[in-house]
Amino acid sequence: MKEKLRLLAPCLLLSFLGAAAFALLRYESDYLWKAQELNLFLDTPMFFHQQTVVSGWLLTWLGTYFTQYFYYPWQGVTLLCLWWALLMFVTARAFRIPAKWSLVLLLPIAALLSSDVGLDYWLYYIKLRGHLFAGTIGTTVAVSSVWLFTLLPARHFLRAAYLAVSCAVLYPLIGAYALLGTLLAGVIVWRDGSGRTDKIVTSITALAAIILWPLVYYRYVFCQTNLCDIYRTGLPQFAIDKPYLEYYLPYGILAVSLLLMAFCYRRNRDTAIRRPVRWLLTQAVLLGVTVAGVCHFWYTDYNFHKELKMQRCLENLDWEGITSEATFLDDEPTRAMVVMKNLALFRQGTQGNTMYHYRTGAKPCATPIPVTMIQVVGIPLYYHYGLCNFSYRWCMELSVETGWRAEYLKYLTRCSLANGEHHLARKYLDLLRHTRFHREWAERYARFLDNDKAIRADAEFSPILHLATIKDRMSSDETMVEKFIMNHLAHRNSDDPLCQEAAVYAALWTKDINTFWSRFFPYANSHIGKPMPIHIQEAAYLYGHLEHTVDISHMPFDPSVVKSYEDLMQTAQQYSNLSEAEMAQALYPRFGSTYYYDYYFVRNQKLY
């Protein structure tokens, strides 16, 4: 019976890895896909040498290499779980953890899992390359060095020399994780029965190595690292307008769990289970606390994951997929979701009839950090609305800020092709050919090089070229993507029918009467004989009654447009005793799908 109990803990370890893999694939496949889009690994010597200019370069190089496998999430998850299995193996050997207590090996794994799935919108801002794998790789190498330390004989100060050399070798490779490994070895030496002199010399050597080697490398090798960062290289930096220390908590738990294992180290352990009931209760508590901790850190915000799904559809030009995601929402959407939905409807040719049939809103992003739409989805929005120069500009600016990413190279390519700058597009395509999973994309877009006729005929580029006939100019958008795009479209003249259509929808967004009429008449004249979209009719009928500057008496309005307006006015009078918020809530079920409702009751939409 006790032999079977001893095998229970290892079986639970494997079950935990299986459950983690299932949860990642079931709930985070879009998140993992986006992480690899915001990642870049090139199989070139120059890329390798670029990583080696700062300490911890091995983490970024290997991290970016393995992150690219999330292009197919199941591949990346499999590799991540294999790394975790390797980490559990070396941790058990390094700290001599018997099978009956192997559940404690879940603590560092749970901390690393939490650090990956608890990033929320840091996914867009984090500067550490390959961060999804970096912590796991760094911890594995550090604990492996501790394992080797425990195998060395405690004589002739051999282990003290090993710590000095290993810290010197590993610090440039794995950064702060090398310092953690040295610290763990310095603790273990007090628990393994070594002589007093050996303990003191080894501990002093470990402490000196931790303090001095980062300073030496800063002074003579890695001069690009800031002095204040030399003891935390290889770790993400969670700071924008201020430090956000709560995001370091999983890394703190990781370090504390390993230190506890070091403090509890014993060379000869009792492997027998003497009190099975107490042991089972302890295992249940340990497993429950671990799972509860992961669930606590796991970022499950509904809108965040909806945005990721819609972005994945946007990358694949799946307009129906975007509108499908926007059809049934369990929460008020963010503005990024609303703008992506409107873009999809515009491309489908149904925006004028269905734009207000979807739930609108401006819910703030569920994160303490200051999120801007430009980081989330600004680059593709600028591109698809024909503002290729702005899309190109932000690709460059964000690349300087956070490093080159596959997504940026793709949009730099697209913008260059749309602008006719084939020499630039060729340069970016050559880079993408050195990736593992984006080569096919590069070959597909390479057919447009020096072939303007194919670009004009392509289903992706054709609408963009039409919208790009509105001349854009470089100016500051103040990161207010939606406001800038809508004002740009609404206040520009063009003879292109698609531009006129985009302009009249942008005029609806402004809710400015004069702007609407200036865009309405060119649009109406270019669509003579064609059905007028319902929402444009609603705006014309509403503005004709609000200000009598335009005679609308001879306009052929659809009867439903007239009836809904009259019904809204009569019903609103019945609710005149309610506040505006209460009236909006009462009228939404009946009139929420009209421009009338949007004009009167949808206001103060937070732009970011």
Side-chain angles (χ1 to χ4, degrees):
M1 177 65 180
K2 292 183 178 179
E3 288 297 325
K4 294 181 179 179
L5 287 177
R6 190 180 295 114
L7 296 175
L8 177 62
C11 290
L12 289 175
L13 289 182
L14 296 177
S15 299
F16 182 88
L17 288 181
F22 173 80
L24 287 171
L25 292 173
R26 174 66 177 83
Y27 301 107
E28 302 295 345
S29 60
D30 297 301
Y31 169 81
L32 298 175
W33 169 84
K34 187 65 176 181
Q36 65 81 30
E37 286 290 301
L38 299 177
N39 178 71
L40 183 66
F41 180 86
L42 302 176
D43 57 2
T44 63
M46 179 177 291
F47 179 80
F48 175 80
H49 290 303
Q50 286 176 338
Q51 310 308 308
T52 61
V53 298
V54 295
S55 61
W57 63 264
L58 184 64
L59 299 182
T60 60
W61 188 68
L62 288 178
T64 53
Y65 172 78
F66 285 107
T67 299
Q68 68 181 332
Y69 285 93
F70 285 124
Y71 186 86
Y72 299 108
W74 70 268
Q75 292 186 9
V77 169
T78 299
L79 290 171
L80 188 58
C81 288
L82 288 175
W83 268 107
W84 286 339
L86 176 61
L87 176 56
M88 288 192 292
F89 173 80
V90 297
T91 303
R93 293 298 182 273
F95 299 106
R96 297 182 181 272
I97 297 174
K100 68 174 183 177
W101 294 115
S102 56
L103 269 189
V104 300
L105 300 175
L106 286 183
L107 296 176
I109 304 302
L112 291 167
L113 173 60
S114 299
S115 71
D116 285 347
V117 297
L119 286 176
D120 63 67
Y121 283 87
W122 278 107
L123 173 67
Y124 303 100
Y125 290 85
I126 197 165
K127 297 180 182 180
L128 179 66
R129 299 180 180 93
H131 54 87
L132 292 183
F133 277 91
T136 298
I137 296 171
T139 306
T140 303
V141 176
V143 174
S144 297
S145 72
V146 175
W147 183 16
L148 182 56
F149 170 84
T150 62
L151 298 177
L152 294 174
R155 60 175 180 268
H156 307 305
F157 305 118
L158 180 61
R159 294 198 294 181
Y162 168 80
L163 288 185
V165 173
S166 66
C167 188
V169 172
L170 293 180
Y171 176 75
L173 300 179
I174 61 174
Y177 295 95
L179 307 182
L180 175 61
T182 305
L183 177 62
L184 293 173
V187 172
I188 285 177
V189 74
W190 291 89
R191 302 287 301 171
D192 66 353
S194 300
R196 185 176 182 83
T197 302
D198 186 63
K199 291 178 180 178
I200 294 174
V201 172
T202 303
S203 297
I204 292 175
T205 303
L207 185 60
I210 291 171
I211 296 173
L212 297 178
W213 279 124
L215 291 171
V216 171
Y217 277 105
Y218 168 75
R219 176 67 176 83
Y220 297 104
V221 183
F222 301 121
C223 56
Q224 295 189 22
T225 304
N226 294 326
L227 180 61
C228 60
D229 296 328
I230 61 175
Y231 294 106
R232 59 180 183 182
T233 56
L235 296 174
Q237 295 189 23
F238 298 111
I240 302 179
D241 55 334
K242 63 178 182 179
Y244 293 87
L245 301 180
E246 61 269 30
Y247 291 93
Y248 289 105
L249 190 55
Y251 295 93
I253 295 173
L254 171 65
V256 170
S257 65
L258 293 175
L259 283 171
L260 288 175
M261 294 180 195
F263 278 114
C264 297
Y265 179 89
R266 291 181 183 177
R267 183 170 291 276
N268 298 308
R269 288 186 178 272
D270 182 11
T271 60
I273 300 176
R274 303 187 184 282
R275 298 178 179 179
V277 175
R278 180 181 296 182
W279 179 84
L280 284 172
L281 290 175
T282 304
Q283 302 299 301
V285 170
L286 183 59
L287 182 62
V289 169
T290 303
V291 173
V294 172
C295 293
H296 171 75
F297 285 106
W298 202 302
Y299 187 68
T300 58
D301 180 64
Y302 177 81
N303 281 344
F304 175 73
H305 290 82
K306 270 290 182 180
E307 287 179 354
L308 291 172
K309 289 180 181 295
M310 296 173 80
Q311 288 183 59
R312 196 168 185 177
C313 294
L314 182 59
E315 172 61 24
N316 296 325
L317 305 179
D318 182 8
W319 308 117
E320 291 185 4
I322 294 176
T323 54
S324 176
E325 293 295 338
T327 300
F328 301 105
L329 298 177
D330 296 338
D331 198 359
E332 177 188 351
T334 63
R335 289 309 299 174
M337 295 165 62
V338 174
V339 179
M340 283 190 281
K341 176 263 298 180
N342 288 339
L343 171 62
L345 294 175
F346 175 63
R347 286 300 183 86
Q348 291 177 299
T350 60
Q351 185 175 3
N353 292 315
T354 61
M355 177 168 45
Y356 302 111
H357 292 195
Y358 298 83
R359 187 174 181 179
T360 190
K363 186 172 182 178
C365 299
T367 177
I369 66 176
V371 176
T372 61
M373 191 185 292
I374 191 63
Q375 292 277 170
V376 178
V377 73
I379 288 172
L381 286 177
Y382 276 132
Y383 168 72
H384 285 291
Y385 275 112
L387 292 165
C388 295
N389 286 344
F390 272 88
S391 182
Y392 191 98
R393 165 198 173 184
W394 277 110
C395 283
M396 282 294 182
E397 290 196 17
L398 295 179
S399 294
V400 172
E401 181 68 20
T402 60
W404 291 105
R405 298 173 172 184
E407 180 180 90
Y408 298 163
L409 290 178
K410 288 181 177 180
Y411 278 100
L412 287 169
T413 301
R414 288 165 162 150
C415 293
S416 298
L417 290 171
N419 286 335
E421 298 170 318
H422 298 279
H423 61 291
L424 284 176
R426 183 175 286 105
K427 179 177 69 174
Y428 301 128
L429 288 172
D430 287 343
L431 288 173
L432 287 168
R433 286 191 179 101
H434 286 283
T435 64
R436 185 179 185 88
F437 295 104
H438 302 294
R439 292 174 184 172
E440 183 180 347
W441 188 97
E443 295 301 330
R444 189 165 70 251
Y445 278 78
R447 64 188 175 91
F448 296 117
L449 291 173
D450 302 317
N451 192 347
D452 290 330
K453 184 177 180 180
I455 294 175
R456 289 192 297 270
D458 183 69
E460 174 184 347
F461 285 106
S462 180
I464 293 167
L465 294 178
H466 278 281
L467 294 174
T469 59
I470 304 176
K471 298 299 181 182
D472 58 359
R473 55 196 176 97
M474 298 306 294
S475 60
S476 175
D477 57 7
E478 298 179 350
T479 71
M480 307 291 279
V481 176
E482 181 184 7
K483 179 180 180 181
F484 187 86
I485 291 176
M486 293 299 105
N487 284 327
H488 171 84
L489 295 174
H491 295 93
R492 295 291 178 178
N493 295 316
S494 176
D495 295 328
D496 187 284
L498 192 64
C499 291
Q500 293 173 347
E501 183 179 356
V504 75
Y505 295 144
L508 295 182
W509 181 91
T510 65
K511 298 184 180 180
D512 182 79
I513 297 178
N514 293 330
T515 299
F516 171 78
W517 289 125
S518 68
R519 302 279 71 86
F520 172 79
F521 289 111
Y523 173 78
N525 291 333
S526 65
H527 287 73
I528 295 176
K530 299 178 181 179
M532 181 66 67
I534 292 297
H535 296 319
I536 297 178
Q537 290 189 50
E538 291 171 343
Y541 194 80
L542 172 64
Y543 291 151
H545 283 79
L546 290 178
E547 292 186 4
H548 300 282
T549 55
V550 175
D551 183 9
I552 63 171
S553 60
H554 301 291
M555 293 184 182
F557 292 104
D558 188 280
S560 64
V561 172
V562 178
K563 186 176 187 306
S564 61
Y565 176 81
E566 294 175 349
D567 289 348
L568 175 62
M569 295 299 105
Q570 294 175 3
T571 308
Q573 291 179 0
Q574 299 174 11
Y575 294 138
S576 59
N577 60 323
L578 301 179
S579 66
E580 182 176 319
E582 293 172 334
M583 187 182 296
Q585 186 175 3
L587 295 177
Y588 181 80
R590 186 174 176 185
F591 301 101
S593 61
T594 66
Y595 180 70
Y596 309 132
Y597 182 91
D598 184 81
Y599 181 83
Y600 282 114
F601 299 109
V602 179
R603 58 186 69 206
N604 299 323
Q605 298 287 278
K606 185 180 185 302
L607 305 178
Y608 60 98

